[in-house]
Amino acid sequence: MVLKAFFPTCCASADSGLLVGRWVPEQSSAVVLAVVHFPFIPIQVKELLAQVQQASRIGLAVLGTWCHHRQEPEESLGHFLEGLGTIFSHEPWLQLCRERGSKFWSCKATHWQVPISPGAPGEDQVMLIFYDQRKVLLSQLHPPAALPDHQAGDATASAGGLAAVFDTVARSEALFRSDRFDEGLVRLSHWQSEGVEASILVELAKRASGPVCLLLAYLLSLISAASTCWVFKLWPLSFIWSKLSTCEQLRHRLEQLTFIFSTQKAENTSQLMRKANMLVSVLLDVALGFALLSWLHGKDRIGQLADALVPVADMGWPSLWTTCLSVSSQRVAEELQHLLQWLMGAPAGLKMNRALDQVLGRFFLYHIHLWISYIHLMSPFIERILWHMGLSACLGLTVALSILSDIIALLTFHIYCFYVYGARLYCLKICGLSSLWRLFRGKKWNVLRQRVDSCSYDLDQLFIGTLLFTVLVFLLPTTALYYLVFTLNLTGCSAHGHARVALAMIPAQRS
C-alpha cells in the first residue's frame, strides 16, 4: 500500500522530534503540520494537541517521528524513537529520516497493532510530497470556514483531494501561532518559527510601534502648536520665514511626519499606500542625507567648502577639483567694480546722463564695499556655521540642499539688492511716464472705478507735466541700462528665491 505524506519544506532542516499533523483515511494521506523537538513531556504534547483540536475542530495527532542526523548519531535515537509508537499509538506510524550531509531521505510507515499475515510486507511504501506551508495557508484555496456540527475528526470529511490538505493547514492556524513570540513548554518548528530571533524582533517592533507613534505624534503636535505662535506671525519673522527655502522645507517635512506617525487608522487602501509611499520617500531622503553627512565630515571637506566660499586673495588650491568648486568672492567683487566703472563711462558708445550715471554708480560701489566688509566679518565663522549646517542632513538631503540654497542666496545678497534698486527705480519711471502720457491725451486713471476717464487740465498742469515727462524720458535710458544689466546678472548668479522676493517688493503701481 502506498501512503502519501505531505511534508512542509520549512521543517526539512528541523531538529529531530515528533511529527504532528492530521491523518486523512479516505485518501491514505498524512498532512504534517509541525515538528515537536526533543526534549519534551508526552503529556504536555497531548494537552497542546487537545487545545488546538478544540480551537480548530480538526483531529490532530502524533503521526510519527522525524530524525535528522545533523547533530546526533542514529544509534542514540533508535531505541527512543521506537518506544514513542507505544506512547502515542497511531496507525500507521511514520518514520522519516534524513541522513547527515546527504540529500537522501528514509521514509517508512509501520503498523504496530495489526498482525502481519504470512507473505505480506510489514511496512507500507511512503510517497513524500513537499509543500510550502506559508503559501498554502495564505492562498485561501481551501473550502469555506463553515464548521458543521460533527465530531472534530469529521469536520472536513466532505473535502476531497488537495482541498483536504488546504483545509487542514488553514484550520490549524492556532498551532502555527502557539510559539510565535515566546516558546512555551512544547517547542515546535513550522513556517512561523523559522528564525526565532527575527520573529522576536518583529514582534517587539510591532508592540512598540503603537507607543512610539503616539509619542512622536504628541511631540509633532507640540512643534506644530509652537510654530503657529503669534510671535512668529510678526512682520519681520513672517516675511523672512515665507522667503527662506529652509523654512518651507521644514514645514513640508513636519506635515509629512505628522501624517506618517498619525495614530488614526487608514480609511482605505489608497490612503494606506500614500502613507507607505511617503514613509519610503522620507527614509530614502534621510539615507541620502546621512550619506552626504558622512561625505562632508570625511577628509575635512567642510573646511575646503568654507575656503571655497570665502577665499582669501593669496589662496592656492591643492587640487583642480577644489579650483572648479566655486568662484572666488573677491573676484566677483572685482568684476562688479569693473562693470560699474564701465557703466559710469560710455558703455558701448551710448550717451548716458552723466549726473544720474555717477550717482547710481557710486551708490552701487558703496554697496559693494559694504558687502566685502560683511564677507570679511563672517569669514571666521563660515566653517563653524557649515559644520552645524551639515548636521541638518540628518533630517534629509532636501533640507541640506535648502540650507545650501539659502546660504548662496545670502552670499549673493548684494546682487539681489542691485536688482531690486534698479527694478524699483525703473518701475517708478515707467509708471510716471504712463501717467504723464495720459495727461497729454486729456485722460486720467480713475482709482475708484478702475478705468481711464477723460479729464480737462489747465495750462499750469500741462506745463509741469511736460517738464516732468521730458526729464523722465531723458533719464529713462540710464535707468533702463542699469536695470537690464543687473537683471541679467541676477539671472546668472542669484538663487530662485530672489525672484519671489523681488516680485513681492515691486508692487504694481498705477497713477
Side-chain angles (χ1 to χ4, degrees), residues 249 289 292 296 389-390 392-393 395-405:
Q249 184 62 34
L292 176 64
L296 285 177
M389 292 300 182
S392 64
L395 298 176
L397 180 62
T398 54
V399 177
L401 294 179
S402 300
I403 295 178
L404 180 63
S405 174

Side-chain angles (χ1 to χ4, degrees), residues 179-183 192-207:
D179 63 340
R180 183 178 184 180
F181 176 61
D182 50 351
E183 296 178 351
Q192 213 163 9
S193 63
E194 290 182 325
V196 180
E197 296 82 2
S199 63
I200 291 176
L201 293 177
V202 170
E203 190 68 22
L204 287 176
K206 289 181 180 179
R207 295 188 180 185

Side-chain angles (χ1 to χ4, degrees), residues 93 99 226 359 386 392 483:
W93 185 256
E99 300 296 334
V359 170
L386 289 178
S392 64
Y483 170 70

Side-chain angles (χ1 to χ4, degrees), residues 164-233:
V165 178
F166 280 85
D167 186 69
T168 300
V169 179
R171 294 185 187 276
S172 304
E173 192 174 356
L175 178 65
F176 301 148
R177 294 184 177 179
S178 59
D179 63 340
R180 183 178 184 180
F181 176 61
D182 50 351
E183 296 178 351
L185 299 177
V186 180
R187 189 164 62 96
L188 302 176
S189 274
H190 47 75
W191 72 271
Q192 213 163 9
S193 63
E194 290 182 325
V196 180
E197 296 82 2
S199 63
I200 291 176
L201 293 177
V202 170
E203 190 68 22
L204 287 176
K206 289 181 180 179
R207 295 188 180 185
S209 60
V212 169
C213 289
L214 185 62
L215 178 61
L216 291 177
Y218 179 72
L219 293 177
L220 292 174
S221 63
L222 289 180
I223 296 175
S224 300
S227 62
T228 57
C229 183
W230 64 272
V231 177
F232 299 102
K233 295 181 179 180

Side-chain angles (χ1 to χ4, degrees), residues 397-445:
L397 180 62
T398 54
V399 177
L401 294 179
S402 300
I403 295 178
L404 180 63
S405 174
D406 292 335
I407 290 178
I408 296 176
L410 291 176
L411 291 178
T412 58
F413 187 71
H414 60 297
I415 302 178
Y416 153 73
C417 290
F418 294 166
Y419 167 74
V420 171
Y421 297 151
R424 190 62 181 269
L425 186 60
Y426 180 76
C427 181
L428 291 176
K429 291 282 184 67
I430 294 299
C431 293
L433 288 174
S434 62
S435 178
L436 294 174
W437 178 251
R438 285 192 294 268
L439 183 142
F440 292 151
R441 296 185 296 126
K443 305 288 184 179
K444 72 171 184 176
W445 174 256

Side-chain angles (χ1 to χ4, degrees), residues 124-141:
D124 293 331
Q125 295 182 358
V126 180
M127 179 187 296
L128 195 60
I129 302 174
F130 293 96
Y131 73 97
D132 193 331
Q133 200 171 65
R134 179 176 180 271
K135 292 183 179 179
V136 170
L137 179 64
L138 302 179
S139 60
Q140 298 182 359
L141 293 178

